[in-house]
Amino acid sequence: KAGVTQTPRYLIKTRGQQVTLSCSPISGHRSVSWYQQTPGQGLQFLFEYFSETQRNKGNFPGRFSGRQFSNSRSEMNVSTLELGDSALYLCASSLGSGSANEQFFGPGTRLTVL
Amino acid sequence: QQQVKQSPQSLIVQKGGIPIINCAYENTAFDYFPWYQQFPGKGPALLIAIRPDVSEKKEGRFTISFNKSAKQFSLHIMDSQPGDSATYFCAASSWRSSASKIIFGSGTRLSIRP
């Protein structure tokens, strides 16, 4: 069974631009979560989608948004990029939404904002 | 109260040694404590997890020790190997909450010298 895939793997943008990252969960998984990983802040939860509905949201500004499609694939969008948005963005999928469900992480998208 | 404090930040151990990584939490509602292993260029992967009804759990060379009264838990790696070199994250969540509402520690970069 294929793992979680994320595209693109690397991305370079300039301040003020917007970016869309994509995540394909493991087949059969209905929950997709997004995390931001930085050396200074560690792993921080962005949001979770389950069956196309946002279930939870972390403490990030409204510039960060996401959605989930009927096939469980998910996208996250960051508008008006700032230098501080440079990070590794990780997507994780799980069968269900409860913490009893193991999350499987993708390799991440490395975003660099210049 | 939502933080999980992890130490040390980095650790260098000779092959065959027993690295120990410590974590502490404050929120008594936490009742699920997973550890994740992350290799460069990869997303975190679940290594081992424990619930507070047991004081120790072993899976292969990896052992979690849990002290509920002190609100502390630790990871021990027996007979460590160079292939164990990775970043390790402890985490905590409530069993009843969403899988995404996991609070991660800041990570420990472990290096096993041959």
Side-chain angles (χ1 to χ4, degrees), chain B residues 3-39:
Chain B
Q3 279 188 323
V4 176
K5 295 182 180 179
Q6 182 172 349
S7 63
Q9 192 173 19
S10 63
L11 188 55
I12 300 174
V13 173
Q14 289 295 125
K15 177 185 173 183
I18 304 176
I20 301 173
I21 303 171
N22 300 298
C23 286
Y25 65 98
E26 295 178 355
N27 189 342
T28 55
F30 289 151
D31 55 9
Y32 176 65
F33 304 91
W35 284 87
Y36 289 83
Q37 180 188 54
Q38 185 177 24
F39 292 106

Side-chain angles (χ1 to χ4, degrees), chain A residues 20-37:
Chain A
T20 299
L21 312 181
S22 181
C23 171
S24 293
I26 292 172
S27 177
H29 285 193
R30 296 168 63 191
S31 173
V32 173
S33 299
W34 289 88
Y35 296 84
Q36 181 193 66
Q37 185 175 23

Side-chain angles (χ1 to χ4, degrees), chain B residues 3-99:
Chain B
Q3 279 188 323
V4 176
K5 295 182 180 179
Q6 182 172 349
S7 63
Q9 192 173 19
S10 63
L11 188 55
I12 300 174
V13 173
Q14 289 295 125
K15 177 185 173 183
I18 304 176
I20 301 173
I21 303 171
N22 300 298
C23 286
Y25 65 98
E26 295 178 355
N27 189 342
T28 55
F30 289 151
D31 55 9
Y32 176 65
F33 304 91
W35 284 87
Y36 289 83
Q37 180 188 54
Q38 185 177 24
F39 292 106
K42 304 283 188 181
L46 180 65
L47 188 63
I48 184 173
I50 195 169
R51 299 198 181 280
D53 52 342
V54 296
S55 60
E56 186 177 276
K57 182 175 181 180
K58 289 183 181 180
E59 282 189 10
R61 296 182 294 105
F62 299 91
T63 298
I64 300 179
S65 298
F66 185 83
N67 186 330
K68 187 174 180 179
S69 60
K71 291 185 283 186
Q72 295 175 347
F73 58 109
S74 59
L75 176 71
H76 298 62
I77 305 176
M78 309 301 289
D79 187 29
S80 58
Q81 301 295 314
D84 296 329
S85 297
T87 300
Y88 292 81
F89 294 93
C90 63
S93 73
S94 170
W95 176 256
R96 286 172 294 280
S97 70
S98 164

Side-chain angles (χ1 to χ4, degrees), chain A residues 9 33 35 37 43 45 48 56 88 90 97-103 105-107, chain B residues 32 36 38 41-44 46 89 93-102 104:
Chain A
R9 292 293 312 277
S33 299
Y35 296 84
Q37 185 175 23
L43 274 155
F45 169 69
E48 178 197 8
N56 293 293
L88 180 67
L90 292 161
S97 183
S99 69
N101 296 278
E102 179 182 350
Q103 290 191 87
F105 285 83
Chain B
Y32 176 65
Y36 289 83
Q38 185 177 24
K42 304 283 188 181
L46 180 65
F89 294 93
S93 73
S94 170
W95 176 256
R96 286 172 294 280
S97 70
S98 164
S100 62
K101 284 195 168 182
I102 289 181
F104 288 90

